[in-house]
Amino acid sequence: MGQKKDLTGSEKSKIVRYLAEGCSSLKIAKLLKRDHRTIKRFIQNSQQGRKKRVEKPRRKITAHELRKVKRAAAKMPLATSLAIFQSCNITGVPKSTRCAILRDMAKVRKAERRPPLNKTHKLKRQDWAKKYLKTDFSKILWTDEMRVSLDGPDGWARGWIGKGQRAPVRLRRQQGGGGVLVWAGIIKDELVGPFRVEDGVKLNSQSYCQFLEDTFFKQWYRKKSASFKKNMIFMQDNAPSHASKYSTAWLARKGIKEEKLMTWPPCSPDLNPIENLWSIIKCEIYKEGKQYTSLNSVWEAVVAAARNVDGEQIKTLTESMDGRLLSVLAKKGGYIGR
């Protein structure tokens, strides 16, 4: 029985199992038909564990170099730490040191996503702000749709994990595992809905109007007083199913027409306060990287999260419109954020 140099992965697994069963190293060597010294060496190495890494002395950064790094970080948004330091001709600095230095003067952020605004869009946004500047926003019903998937945004599945713990397994599914389309509205301090669009239904003009009939009109609007209906202004964005001639004529037959139907500027999700409500709900249903196994379970989570949004939060959103309009005018129709 000759001595071999290396043990295979299968043999190592068997050694661990035999040790757990109480076998001696000599017996294990006979069972595996390997040299006794090879078995003993593997057991000794396993018991010793890993050697501690010797920390190398870190390169010191001068005050002058720090100022150069700060200027480079300001001029190169979204650049990597390596690119920033290389632009300053500072070499030999490990990544951990670079990140520690940058953490004191900068933050890691993703690029903001926003719709493109050309000159015509900006002019229309300014005209819209001027038109509604003196409006009582407590009488406007702000509406929109939101799609929620089973997996949620990938970037939210991050967080702190204790030393020695393994990160939980996260499922990877195409298109986020599928999703549910949700419609809701907010007015003053009240939440309307949320209502679920039937699975598999694509919202065109006809299906959108039928959806509003079955949910918004039958379950909420019909119960309101005549004076409320007279003063309420209905807001919707310029999605094709919303702004089509069919939908506009259908809403007119329901009494929502002319001044009771708010005109909406193009490419302006930042002006709709319900977008902030969607953010609140998504933060709740996807906290700690939560995923869902069925469309019904994610819908139940949306309903539960919506119930936890109190009237004061909604009132804060609807009362923010005066400030948003002033910001649009101050920025000459530019994007204002949310």
Side-chain angles (χ1 to χ4, degrees):
M1 183 169 59
Q3 182 181 357
K4 297 181 181 179
K5 289 185 178 180
D6 297 321
L7 291 166
T8 65
S10 175
E11 287 174 328
K12 291 177 182 178
S13 300
K14 289 179 181 179
I15 292 171
V16 174
R17 189 171 71 250
Y18 288 145
L19 286 172
E21 293 173 357
C23 297
S24 65
S25 59
L26 184 60
K27 185 177 181 181
I28 294 172
K30 289 180 180 180
L31 289 170
L32 296 180
K33 298 180 181 181
R34 296 296 300 260
D35 188 272
H36 183 218
R37 290 169 295 177
T38 304
I39 303 298
K40 285 184 70 175
R41 191 184 306 115
F42 170 75
I43 295 172
Q44 289 172 355
N45 292 340
S46 301
Q47 291 174 343
Q48 287 176 358
R50 293 182 178 181
K51 293 182 180 180
K52 289 186 177 180
R53 186 177 65 180
V54 179
E55 290 286 342
K56 295 181 180 179
R58 293 186 175 182
R59 181 191 185 289
K60 291 185 178 179
I61 306 296
T62 66
H64 176 65
E65 288 176 328
L66 281 176
R67 289 193 294 271
K68 288 174 67 178
V69 169
K70 189 172 183 178
R71 286 195 296 267
K75 291 179 181 178
M76 303 168 61
L78 303 180
T80 63
S81 64
L82 180 60
I84 291 172
F85 274 71
Q86 284 180 343
S87 70
C88 302
N89 296 320
I90 303 174
T91 58
V93 182
K95 183 179 179 181
S96 57
T97 304
R98 297 196 305 264
C99 292
I101 292 170
L102 288 170
R103 208 172 286 125
D104 293 333
M105 61 182 70
K107 292 182 179 180
V108 177
R109 289 286 184 268
K110 286 185 177 180
E112 290 186 20
R113 297 179 64 183
R114 60 178 64 171
L117 290 176
N118 57 35
K119 187 176 180 179
T120 302
H121 295 157
K122 291 179 180 180
L123 289 174
K124 288 184 177 181
R125 284 163 61 92
Q126 291 181 78
D127 292 341
W128 176 85
K130 292 173 184 176
K131 178 180 179 180
Y132 291 102
L133 194 58
K134 296 182 180 180
T135 302
D136 182 0
F137 291 109
S138 66
K139 297 178 181 179
I140 295 178
L141 175 68
W142 308 92
T143 71
D144 194 22
E145 294 94 9
M146 166 187 70
R147 180 169 291 279
V148 290
S149 65
L150 299 184
D151 295 344
D154 290 336
W156 291 11
R158 303 179 68 181
W160 294 99
I161 295 176
K163 289 184 177 179
Q165 293 183 324
R166 295 190 64 182
V169 176
R170 183 171 176 81
L171 301 176
R172 293 188 63 184
R173 296 174 282 201
Q174 289 189 357
Q175 303 297 322
V180 174
L181 187 62
V182 181
W183 183 96
I186 53 175
I187 181 169
K188 197 176 180 179
D189 59 355
E190 184 178 358
L191 173 63
V192 182
F195 299 118
R196 177 179 178 178
V197 178
E198 187 178 345
D199 297 339
V201 173
K202 184 177 180 180
L203 281 188
N204 53 30
S205 300
Q206 290 79 11
S207 58
Y208 173 66
C209 293
Q210 186 61 51
F211 170 78
L212 290 181
E213 176 65 33
D214 297 337
T215 54
F216 167 69
F217 282 102
K218 286 185 177 179
Q219 300 182 38
W220 186 81
Y221 189 73
R222 184 176 292 178
K223 300 175 184 177
K224 296 298 179 180
S225 64
S227 61
F228 177 88
K229 295 176 182 178
K230 181 180 178 181
N231 294 319
M232 190 199 81
I233 300 173
F234 187 84
M235 173 271 156
Q236 58 182 4
D237 61 24
N238 295 320
S241 58
H242 300 174
S244 67
K245 292 181 179 179
Y246 180 93
S247 298
T248 304
W250 185 85
L251 286 171
R253 292 196 296 272
K254 291 288 185 179
I256 298 176
K257 56 184 177 179
E258 299 172 352
E259 294 302 318
K260 287 179 60 61
L261 180 62
M262 175 179 274
T263 56
W264 192 248
C267 303
S268 300
D270 56 317
L271 301 180
N272 191 351
I274 200 172
E275 295 289 349
N276 299 89
L277 174 70
W278 296 144
S279 296
I280 294 170
I281 291 175
K282 284 186 175 181
C283 285
E284 177 63 27
I285 67 176
Y286 295 125
K287 64 182 178 182
E288 299 176 0
K290 185 174 178 60
Q291 292 179 288
Y292 297 88
T293 55
S294 68
L295 298 181
N296 286 335
S297 63
V298 72
W299 165 244
E300 290 169 1
V302 169
V303 173
R307 287 174 181 167
N308 289 332
V309 180
D310 58 39
E312 283 301 315
Q313 286 178 286
I314 297 172
K315 190 176 181 181
T316 300
L317 297 180
T318 55
E319 288 183 346
S320 69
M321 289 309 302
D322 289 311
R324 296 186 195 220
L325 267 65
L326 292 174
S327 296
V328 170
L329 294 174
K331 293 192 175 184
K332 297 182 179 179
Y335 191 80
I336 65 169
R338 296 178 188 174

